[in-house]
Amino acid sequence: MTYDPLLERMPTSRLPSFSDREGVFGGERPAYAEESPFKIHGGCGLMGICDESGKLMSGETAIRAMAVQRDRGNGLGGGYAGYGIYPEFPDHFCFHMMYHDLAAKEAAEAVFDQYFVIDLAEPMPTRPVKGISDAPLLWRYFLAPDPHKLEMAEMTAEDYVVHTVMLINSKVDGAYVASSGKNMGAFKGVGFPEEIGHYYILEEYQGHTWVGHNRFPTNTPGWWGGAHPFTLLDWSIVHNGEISSYGINSRYLEAFGYKCTLGTDTEVAAYLFDLMLRRHKLPMELACKALASPLWSEIDRMPEDQQALMRSLRAVYGPGMLNGPFAIVLGFNGGMLALNDRIKLRPLVAARQGSVLMVASEESAMREVLKSPDKVWTPKAGEPVIARVEGMDWPIHGDLHLSASEVSCAVTGVENSCETVEVV
Amino acid sequence: MPASLIQPEFKVKIDYDKCHKCGRCVQQCGWGVYSFNERPIPDDTKCRACHRCVTYCPAHCITIQKNDLAFRDNPHWTPALRKSVWRQAESGGVMLTGMGNDRPYLNVFDHLVLDACQVTNPSIDPLREPMELRTYLGRKPDSVEVETDGNGGFHLKEGTGVSNNIQLETPIIFSPMSYGSVSLNVHKSLAMAAERCGILMNTGEGGLHADLFPYQDHVIVQVASGRFGVTPEYLNRGAAMEIKIGQGAKPGIGGHLPGEKINREVSETRMIPTGTDAISPAPHHDIYSIEDLRQLIYSLKEATGYKPVGVKIAAVHNVAAIASGIVRAGADYVYLDGFRGGTGAAPQIIRDHIGIPIEIAIAVVDQRLRDEGIRNQASIIAAGSIRSSADMAKAIALGADVVAVGSAALMALGCHLCQGCHTGSCSWGLTTQKAELTRRVDPEWGAERLTNLVHAWSHELQEILGALGVNAVESLRGSRERLRAIGLDEQTCKILGVKPAGL
Ligand code: SF4
Ligand code: SF4
Ligand code: SF4
């Protein structure tokens, strides 16, 4: 698969060579992959909160919601994404970076230098927290695509940014893009989520939407990049579950060109959303109906035109149906979406208090965060809970024109998912 | 010289102390093994071990034994091969046989095992939770296109969505067996059962008898090289049409229904004179290429207001490329028939030595269609010795949408796999047109037994899905991750897309 990459049309002479460099800390750099050729099993906890009026709330809210759900993880991964957190740079793409060493940082910065105008580069503010060790170097950058080069590349700014993500993830050893959206950021790492939240000093950020995640991987020790959320531009996804249909979901996606290299359900869910929402332009509600289909017995009782629609959705997207226990929260600039599996095998509770909509794995999280919820309910199996921030566009289709393999490469940053993508 | 050098295969033993001398065995045996002279006297040479007499003897005093003659050991020249040489030296002809390949080739299904959920994801109890087997047979679009209805809801964009698909309540259908090769009562049993189970039966190449018209929504009408019984009316009655190119038991070979089987009713249904042999040519004389096939597919669609058209082929070496061509030619499903598939009559040498196993065929066709991005454009029906719900589940996991059963359906009606179908004397009244034999199958009884079989397998499939932790069959379909191989070589595993157990 080839495409006209932005970089092909630009001088690449200034791009340093990244191969075989000894890290400044010595020793081997890890490949930023989930180290697993096979299916990864795990359980988790999650939360999402959105103030539909657009009012901002502190990241502490998210920390508290996750802290009461501590038992759902085992300290091998926690993370958050916050939206509306960088009002001083609302139109800049913000790159949250993880570096294994200084060499990786230099190399990645060379890429930024070449293709972007950097308006601010700074170390991610952190504080020492007991329980958090082995943190990579964490930096963030507020960038705007170099207008001249963007024009030369004949791409939308979004495509340009994703290609940069791919370039860094696949070609720059020891560098990983944690998030790259506008006015948002992902904060994740190895540890319990409240530790990760304190480590990143989340209480100092104000966002209208937050998602959080607590990980319980049952196999390999976690790595910082492998914690949830996974992101692409401003999209973030956190997931609790175990997709029993992984085998066919991944084969279905592969037929569309996606490469499922991480062996995680989250990756599969991310691509399915990309396929249905961006490429097939399905409304979010219907994508949810395809991922967690109503039962045939329910479909048979629907009004005629709905029957026809649902039958088609199921027959066409059957191989993409996520079967098995899951709860998933998708965050984006403009709102959030939470979805549970079709027979509710994993917990997902929702609550509303005024303009605030909240979801979490456990009700305790709502009781902790919302003082007096108007309503607490258990969303029905397969019924999406959707929050929209007033006055914000839904960038559902985005201005993205990526192929499936490019999306795979950008989301995972794993070398072999980028193989077929000509990045340089 | 004796008339034949071949000694009987079986010995019919009667315990005369217990025998009532009722003569029932004489009447039951389709092959005239017994004569009666104060007591039944069997002629072992004619016995095919169909167990009809054994089943119906009121005294339970008949037993059929293997005639265990010792041959000088020579694994290279098996007794069966020696007998073939003698038989052909006597007859000078092609040896005919019935039912499927009985040679001991490696059985891939028996080297595959399924997965189950433990701890990290829950298994599901099919007795308490919904467990969905519904399947849509036919072409599906790449995506679903919708329009808003203005009130926050959506409906399908005009002219899009899944149309012309056939709804099956379980992914099992009956494979084509023509009226002529099997009796009308068998056809009726199949049609009634298909209706009761919400599935399909298939006319085979012999046309559709008027008695089946009430069940026509559950009938696939076949168009084979002989074009027997094919009229616009016939095409329009079917729920779907099927162009038969080949059959797993005899790839590349036409059909031959002997004149003795063409009685008045068969002749009317097939639209040929009574008593004449019904010969299906090996190829369709209007299909010599894939373009020709495309034209026939679209002619059939045009003739019927675009009902689904499937194409049945035998699984042969190049099956993946052929299937891809068929899908691109516009077929709504590809019917793959593996080399163990049954037949009413076939040259033994063809049946036993041509074709490839259905397991391999499913795997390569499913993968090829996925690689080409056209898997959604056609369903895959897999046949050719699906023996149990386990075979069905494995076939589906390899990538089949639906399995078709023929031999198992006949067995539900009494068939004992005696391989005598080509003789037209089936004691069980199945593959015969002799009135005294065909009346042995009461369609009501037959339909009930077939319905039971389909329901039993469906329940078992639900159990398997539950263990796998999924509640809809589409989540197993093509999910090879849920299969592991035991004792298959690396290359075969690779072709199947299945990991060895332990990985
Ligand atoms: S052919 Fe069948 S019915 Fe006849 S003797 Fe043998 S077992 Fe009995
Ligand atoms: S059916 Fe049984 S009891 Fe009757 S004559 Fe034959 S062997 Fe004897
Ligand atoms: S259908 Fe009749 S003749 Fe053919 S194998 Fe079965 S029992 Fe024997």
Side-chain angles (χ1 to χ4, degrees), chain A residues 26 60 62 125 129 198 250 266 279 294-295 314 331 335 381 394 400:
Chain A
E60 203 201 330
V129 168
H198 288 138
S250 55
T266 322
R279 293 177 62 190
L295 298 168
R314 236 190 118 164
W394 273 36
L400 266 179

Side-chain angles (χ1 to χ4, degrees), chain B residues 29 31 33-34 47-53 64 427:
Chain B
C29 179
W31 284 282
V33 165
Y34 297 95
C47 178
R48 312 195 66 96
C50 78
H51 294 189
R52 179 79 188 186
C53 61
I64 311 293
S427 298

Side-chain angles (χ1 to χ4, degrees), chain B residues 14 19-25 36 40 57-59 61-62:
Chain B
I14 300 172
C19 171
H20 302 172
K21 325 276 189 283
C22 66
R24 206 158 174 189
C25 47
F36 200 82
C57 168
C61 66
I62 308 176

Side-chain angles (χ1 to χ4, degrees), chain A residues 82-284:
Chain A
Y83 292 86
I85 56 174
Y86 295 129
E88 59 281 26
F89 292 102
D91 297 321
H92 283 68
F93 291 96
C94 177
F95 275 63
H96 281 198
M97 297 298 302
M98 295 181 174
Y99 299 124
H100 181 66
D101 53 33
L102 283 171
K105 174 170 173 283
E106 273 170 35
E109 287 179 350
V111 175
F112 294 144
D113 275 339
Q114 189 169 357
Y115 301 117
F116 289 87
V117 178
I118 306 177
D119 277 307
L120 178 65
E122 60 182 3
M124 190 71 93
T126 56
R127 65 156 78 91
V129 168
K130 193 167 161 277
I132 302 291
S133 55
D134 294 333
L137 303 174
L138 299 166
W139 278 68
R140 70 181 168 205
Y141 303 83
F142 295 92
L143 311 168
D146 179 317
H148 178 60
K149 289 185 175 151
L150 180 63
E151 201 186 318
M152 266 170 53
E154 292 173 13
M155 280 182 182
T156 64
E158 280 77 10
D159 287 342
Y160 190 89
V161 167
V162 175
H163 281 180
T164 309
V165 173
M166 279 158 46
L167 174 69
I168 291 174
N169 280 348
S170 64
K171 296 286 181 214
V172 182
D173 256 359
Y176 175 81
V177 182
S179 64
S180 55
K182 282 181 183 172
N183 205 357
M184 63 81 68
F187 307 85
K188 60 184 190 176
V190 175
F192 281 99
E194 64 277 16
E195 296 166 355
I196 294 289
H198 288 138
Y199 179 76
Y200 280 104
I201 325 180
L202 273 198
E203 67 271 20
E204 294 194 349
Y205 297 81
Q206 300 283 324
H208 54 72
T209 303
W210 288 94
V211 301
H213 190 259
N214 190 2
R215 190 157 176 255
F216 199 132
T218 47
N219 55 346
T220 51
W223 62 286
W224 280 61
H228 292 208
F230 279 90
T231 66
L232 181 63
L233 290 169
D234 68 314
W235 289 74
S236 66
I237 188 163
V238 293
H239 168 263
N240 165 23
E242 178 65 39
I243 306 299
S244 307
S245 54
Y246 176 83
I248 183 55
N249 299 150
S250 55
R251 289 188 77 217
Y252 176 64
L253 286 163
E254 276 159 17
F256 286 98
Y258 297 92
K259 300 190 94 193
C260 302
T261 35
L262 292 187
T264 64
D265 302 329
T266 322
E267 184 192 10
V268 157
Y271 300 158
L272 284 168
F273 275 116
D274 183 64
L275 177 72
M276 292 183 195
L277 300 179
R278 183 175 64 86
R279 293 177 62 190
H280 289 177
K281 308 210 180 322
L282 278 184
M284 209 169 252

